Amino acid sequence: MEFLLYPLAFICLLGVLVAFHEYGHFIVARMSGVHVLRFSIGFGKPLLSWVDSKGTEFTVAMIPLGGFVSMYDERDPLNDLSSKPEIEGAVGYTQLTPYWRIAIALAGPFANFLLAILIYWLLFFAGSAQFAPMSTAPGEGTPLERSGVQSPVQVMQVDTVPVSGWQDIALALTKRLGDTGDIELTVLDLGASNERVVQVPISAWLKGDDEPNVFGSLGLQPSILPVIGRVVEDSQAERAGLRPGDWVTAVDGESVIYWSDWVQAIEQSPNTPLTLSLVRGGTEYQLRATPDSRAVEMAADTENPSDNGTTQQIEQGFLGVGPVVIEVEYPLFGSLQKGVDETFAKTALTFSMITKMFTGDVSAKTLVGPVGIAKIAGQSAKSGWRTFFGIMALMSISLAVLNLLPVPMLDGGHVVFILAEIIMGKPVSEGFQSAALQGGLFLVALMFIFVTFNDLSRLI
């Protein structure tokens, strides 16, 4: 059934974004007094349809790639309301003041911004726990290694912005794509056990790369390292003298690089004394620890098909330690402020990326289309509700910013026409608007084809 996850997640994600966007247009149109003929989620043949008491038809259509709000316009001969006495005398769209029409156009993007704020509010209030952003020692010749980093590190800040996980780091580094100068990283050096600031020089960094690797290009290698984050009370780890912050480097002389190496060494040694080599406060120590033993049920290792599903008990070692986990949680109103701040930051980043695409600093091939969105939606849904909602918030911001661009067919294009009407004192000619809308439709169609080609190229 997993193959259904991707289309369902895509429909859910895009459906919510489009519904919020169109509802923004709808509610302000209703406030202005104009009659709304149809509110549609999706295009094409309606799957569901109903009419409310005010004569507006609500539909859910077959093609879930957008939506629209159709308003009464007395210039359109198809919008004949004479057969509907309950809405006779309805206000037409062109009868509205220019400022009401601007408000209707901007209400859709505003609704998407509001949705992002609400989602981030929920996420910050619910809190999160994620592994500390640690990296193994950078490879020889990488920018990080040339900047003097020789041992594993935990990233604390990027360009003075505090980070709590790799997603924060990725977004902070993405802002610097195409830049020349220095990326400032504040890192906790696990070898020296102290924080320091590292200036990593960049020049036209990853400019025009189709799939920029913001981590690997610097020498960062995201990993869960054998650094102790917590010690269970009255455990063998506590009795042995292990403390939070200890970086375990070897077990019985065998080096351990990742947390999984450290766990494997413990599990394979129940009731067996181990010599642990570790770094604490920049000084190397050796401790002796004996893991407890506990019975664990595992699938039986058998080649007999009739025995499939059987289990066996084995003894595993247990020491009583956990990795470094960063927990982030805010109070109700503090999380609302964080939601607003996060939405503003992501909006600024989106505008910055669009600008860099026009200047060639960021490749347009990084754009994703419906196939890419479906893949992202499915993967985020598999990762958990927090990831899925985080992607939804980010895409809601992207949808809002896209619609604010001054392109005919988009909300920003409508605002440009209305501003021109205010400046000139009369509406832009219908001939010019029609030609501009056709040009806008052509641009949007080209963009759709381009991003779909990008998606298929990635899959291939």
Side-chain angles (χ1 to χ4, degrees):
M1 297 294 289
E2 186 176 314
F3 71 94
L4 291 175
L5 178 65
Y6 287 84
L8 290 177
F10 171 73
I11 292 171
C12 177
L13 176 68
L14 207 58
V16 171
L17 300 186
V18 171
F20 259 79
H21 183 91
E22 299 305 333
Y23 188 73
H25 292 311
F26 170 78
I27 196 66
V28 176
R30 278 271 176 94
M31 290 169 60
S32 73
V34 70
H35 174 63
V36 180
L37 298 169
R38 176 179 285 186
F39 178 105
S40 179
I41 304 300
F43 301 108
K45 183 179 180 180
L47 300 175
L48 296 173
S49 179
W50 67 97
V51 179
D52 73 356
S53 60
K54 294 187 178 181
T56 300
E57 182 186 12
F58 293 83
T59 64
V60 177
M62 287 186 63
I63 307 173
L65 296 179
F68 62 90
V69 171
S70 176
M71 289 169 278
Y72 169 58
D73 187 342
E74 66 279 1
R75 299 171 303 175
D76 189 346
L78 297 178
N79 292 340
D80 182 12
L81 304 182
S82 60
S83 62
K84 302 178 180 179
E86 71 275 12
I87 51 177
E88 189 175 353
V91 176
Y93 177 73
T94 53
Q95 292 176 294
L96 297 175
T97 66
Y99 302 103
W100 265 120
R101 283 180 276 142
I102 288 175
I104 292 172
L106 294 179
F110 177 81
N112 283 122
F113 286 131
L114 181 60
L115 174 61
I117 291 173
L118 293 175
I119 292 174
Y120 285 131
W121 184 12
L122 167 67
L123 292 176
F124 282 117
F125 183 64
S128 65
Q130 51 192 322
F131 294 115
M134 295 186 181
S135 170
T136 57
E140 186 177 352
T142 60
L144 204 55
E145 189 267 344
R146 292 197 300 268
S147 298
V149 177
Q150 306 293 332
S151 64
V153 296
Q154 177 180 338
V155 182
M156 313 297 288
Q157 293 185 161
V158 178
D159 289 333
T160 72
V161 177
V163 294
S164 58
W166 285 107
Q167 185 181 26
D168 293 344
I169 298 170
L171 290 170
L173 292 177
T174 298
K175 294 180 183 178
R176 303 299 306 275
L177 288 174
D179 288 358
T180 295
D182 292 314
I183 295 176
E184 184 178 285
L185 299 178
T186 301
V187 299
L188 172 63
D189 190 312
L190 300 186
S193 295
N194 63 353
E195 281 191 23
R196 61 193 182 103
V197 177
V198 180
Q199 302 289 344
V200 184
I202 55 173
S203 178
W205 186 49
L206 301 176
K207 182 174 181 177
D209 275 24
D210 294 346
E211 296 183 18
N213 182 357
V214 295
F215 297 146
S217 62
L218 297 179
L220 291 170
Q221 302 178 62
S223 309
I224 304 175
L225 302 183
V227 179
I228 296 173
R230 64 183 180 89
V231 176
V232 176
E233 187 177 353
D234 197 32
S235 64
Q236 290 290 359
E238 185 181 59
R239 296 187 191 101
L242 289 170
R243 301 177 189 172
D246 288 346
W247 171 33
V248 180
T249 57
V251 177
D252 284 344
E254 293 289 330
S255 65
V256 291
I257 299 176
Y258 304 104
W259 183 264
S260 57
D261 301 334
W262 162 232
V263 169
Q264 186 178 38
I266 294 170
E267 289 180 343
Q268 292 177 349
S269 307
N271 300 316
T272 304
L274 300 174
T275 300
L276 310 180
S277 302
L278 56 91
V279 176
R280 176 188 298 166
T283 304
E284 295 183 2
Y285 291 90
Q286 281 196 339
L287 299 177
R288 296 279 287 177
T290 302
D292 283 327
S293 177
R294 62 180 177 183
V296 178
E297 280 197 356
M298 297 187 67
D301 184 14
T302 176
E303 296 181 0
N304 186 349
S306 63
D307 289 339
N308 284 345
T310 61
T311 60
Q312 61 180 351
Q313 281 198 345
I314 64 170
E315 295 298 313
Q316 279 190 351
F318 173 74
L319 200 55
V321 293
V324 181
V325 173
I326 297 177
E327 297 185 7
V328 180
E329 189 175 342
Y330 295 89
L332 182 63
F333 292 106
S335 56
L336 174 58
Q337 182 60 55
K338 284 291 295 180
V340 173
D341 294 343
E342 191 75 4
T343 300
F344 271 103
K346 296 293 195 304
T347 301
L349 174 61
T350 304
F351 274 114
S352 173
M353 290 300 100
I354 291 174
T355 302
K356 288 185 176 183
M357 283 182 190
F358 279 110
T359 60
D361 290 331
V362 174
S363 172
K365 290 187 178 181
T366 57
L367 291 170
V368 296
V371 178
I373 293 173
K375 182 179 178 182
I376 293 169
Q379 290 175 339
S380 63
K382 288 170 65 176
S383 299
W385 70 270
R386 284 182 173 85
T387 304
F388 181 74
F389 276 94
I391 292 296
M392 181 181 289
L394 192 58
M395 290 197 170
S396 188
I397 292 170
S398 298
L399 180 61
V401 171
L402 175 66
N403 272 278
L404 288 175
L405 296 179
V407 176
M409 286 288 296
L410 302 180
D411 298 327
H414 291 305
V415 171
V416 170
F417 283 141
I418 300 168
L419 290 176
E421 176 183 340
I422 294 173
I423 294 170
M424 297 187 303
K426 62 179 182 179
V428 177
S429 70
E430 290 189 20
F432 182 82
Q433 287 194 51
S434 177
L437 288 173
Q438 289 179 10
L441 178 62
F442 179 71
L443 286 175
V444 171
L446 276 183
M447 178 63 71
F448 181 83
I449 294 170
F450 177 72
V451 295
T452 303
F453 177 77
N454 283 352
D455 294 342
L456 296 177
S457 297
R458 292 188 191 99
L459 288 177
I460 294 171

